[in-house]
Amino acid sequence: MSNYGMVIIGAGETGARAAVELRSLGWTGKITLIGEEAHAPYERPPLSKPTLLEEHNPSPAYILDNKQLEEHRIELMKGCKAVSIDKNNHSVQLENGQNINYERLLLATGAQPRRLSIPLSGSQSRFDTSSVLYLRSFGDALSLRRRLEPGKRVVIIGGGFIGLEVAASARECGCEVTVIEAGPRILMRGVPEAIAAIVDARHRSAGVQFKLGVGIAGISSSGGESIITLINGETLACDALIAGIGAIPETALAAASGLAIENGISVDEKLATSDPNIFAAGDCCSFPHPLYGGMRIRLEAWRNAQDQGTHVAGSMLGAKEAYAAVPWFWSDQYDLTLQVSGLQGIGTTTVHRTLGSSGDLFFHLTDERTLAAASGIGGPGIAKDIRLAEMLIASKAVLDPDALARPDVKLKVLLKG
Ligand SMILES: Cc1cc2nc3c(=O)[nH]c(=O)nc-3n(C[C@H](O)[C@H](O)[C@H](O)COP(=O)(O)OP(=O)(O)OC[C@H]3O[C@@H](n4cnc5c(N)ncnc54)[C@H](O)[C@@H]3O)c2cc1C
């Protein structure tokens, strides 16, 4: 099998980082990066922010350009979809009929936007979803961008991160924006209520309207206009309708080849799947996290994609270390930066520390008074504290809630114990 190389399916954040790291770790054989998109690997976070706002024709923020691909001897197969895996013969079949053999295979297939579900026929509701836009790829961002003209009415279904980032960008483009959220508040997942309230207020001050705690009864569209009927009978007309209602891991290939699936492609602590020659990393996989007692989690976050891409390269070459990075996520909306490290839902008590005009920090403590997570909102200055909080989470230090609440007690000091 000596001429079989390392094959990566999915040329996104994780796939690109893994390919580069394989070379850095000394792998001298072939590295093939297979991606169904027409582009070299690019960053997705700008898609809901600068890509929508750029005055002139935007281009993707590439992670790897041709020079780097050449330098690292990474063969990028763009516009190529992998359609099946033959585990016994160590080969991947592409849509164009080609077979690629592998020594080790990485699945870095990411996630897809969750689609609005269409009520069954016979139901009172009618969903014409043909006009609904989603945001995952550069192509999606270009389609959306064309619709964000000043004065246009934009309705966003879903008050999560993507929906709110699009709302902020649409307001900056001069659109009239309404966000519909079925839950009682925005940012129901992963963010404490106090932070959600600050984000909510910032959006309202920018002119965004919210319809909270209300579901959708029907959608119809004609002549470029969509009409959304809410369950309470209210109707909204808009020129652009965007759904940001979460993402689902891309597991079709893995499932068809018999790999274990559990809220994503199920991997062990080294990121190996149920087949020892096949690995999975990034948005597509769920993994046991050692910091949280081995609890299986799946993350949809940029840094996790980077870190797992780097880590999995080592595992593909035989390293045995568990992936244990503290989860971290950020979102930029207007002049606000929001950062969360750790898993907020694990905490049982929350301690607030105000940083005055620089922002607010919230520490989420377990019953044992170790730090489960920290969330921050404000200006870029919060990044340093969230970084220190991340170290406190990893250290599992037992903390004094009063000290956490006091802005004069440096987190660095708590870290030293
Ligand atoms: C609009 C947007 C904004 C975001 N903003 C933030 C942010 O502010 N902060 C943050 O922390 N995170 C953010 N994220 C999340 C972050 O970008 C993702 O977590 C990260 O891109 C995941 O990387 P990945 O490589 O796992 O998946 P992806 O980047 O989705 O890459 C997977 C690739 O695999 C390809 N693929 C799938 N199946 C096949 C197949 N069968 N054959 C070939 N190719 C295939 C896909 O086409 C895709 O190109 C954002 C995401 C989006 C969409």
Side-chain angles (χ1 to χ4, degrees), residues 8-16 34-37 42-49 77 80-83 94 108-112 135-137 161-162 165-166 250 253 281-284 299-306 328-332:
I8 300 168
I9 303 178
E13 190 77 53
T14 308
I34 302 166
E36 70 179 315
E37 292 188 67
Y42 59 87
E43 302 287 7
R44 283 180 212 279
L47 300 181
S48 45
K49 309 162 196 111
M77 302 182 77
C80 275
K81 183 174 178 160
V83 290
L94 305 184
T109 46
Q112 286 294 326
L135 180 56
R136 181 77 196 180
S137 66
F161 288 108
I162 301 278
E165 287 181 7
V166 171
E250 184 55 72
L253 259 185
D283 282 16
C284 68
L299 299 170
E300 288 164 17
W302 174 82
R303 197 168 79 190
N304 176 66
Q306 284 203 338
W328 178 84
F329 182 88
W330 100 97
S331 174
D332 289 335

Side-chain angles (χ1 to χ4, degrees), residues 160-390:
F161 288 108
I162 301 278
L164 293 173
E165 287 181 7
V166 171
S169 298
R171 275 306 291 146
E172 284 177 47
C173 291
C175 303
E176 288 173 24
V177 180
T178 305
V179 175
I180 304 168
E181 165 59 52
R185 64 161 167 100
I186 57 167
L187 297 175
M188 284 295 286
R189 272 198 313 149
V191 170
E193 202 169 344
I195 285 198
I198 295 169
V199 177
D200 180 298
R202 181 67 186 84
H203 276 277
R204 287 180 199 266
S205 75
V208 173
Q209 308 229 17
F210 286 102
K211 306 281 174 194
L212 301 178
V214 63
I216 291 168
I219 299 171
S220 62
S221 49
S222 78
E225 185 181 69
S226 296
I227 309 284
I228 302 108
T229 306
L230 303 181
I231 281 169
N232 61 13
E234 199 180 336
T235 57
L236 301 168
C238 66
D239 306 298
L241 175 59
I242 300 125
I245 52 171
I248 44 175
E250 184 55 72
T251 57
L253 259 185
S257 58
L259 298 174
I261 308 290
E262 199 180 342
N263 179 28
I265 305 168
S266 178
V267 292
D268 66 10
E269 66 290 345
K270 304 186 305 295
L271 309 177
T273 67
S274 48
D275 179 312
N277 295 306
I278 307 181
F279 296 76
D283 282 16
C284 68
C285 80
S286 71
F287 63 101
H289 204 303
L291 263 180
Y292 301 102
M295 185 174 81
R296 182 164 288 279
I297 60 172
R298 189 175 70 79
L299 299 170
E300 288 164 17
W302 174 82
R303 197 168 79 190
N304 176 66
Q306 284 203 338
D307 289 350
Q308 286 199 337
T310 306
H311 190 94
V312 78
S315 303
M316 290 167 83
L317 295 173
K320 301 275 182 259
E321 284 91 37
Y323 177 77
V326 176
W328 178 84
F329 182 88
W330 100 97
S331 174
D332 289 335
Q333 295 165 40
Y334 312 101
D335 48 351
L336 281 180
T337 285
L338 185 167
Q339 294 197 9
V340 180
S341 63
L343 297 180
Q344 182 245 328
I346 306 288
T348 48
T349 42
T350 298
V351 174
H352 177 209
R353 172 186 288 214
T354 175
L355 303 175
S357 58
S358 306
D360 292 275
L361 293 175
F362 297 86
F363 299 99
H364 313 286
L365 292 165
T366 64
D367 288 339
E368 291 75 39
R369 288 202 282 122
T370 60
L371 196 58
S375 341
I377 188 150
I382 60 159
K384 195 168 135 254
D385 282 330
I386 291 290
R387 175 78 197 126
L388 288 164
E390 204 177 307

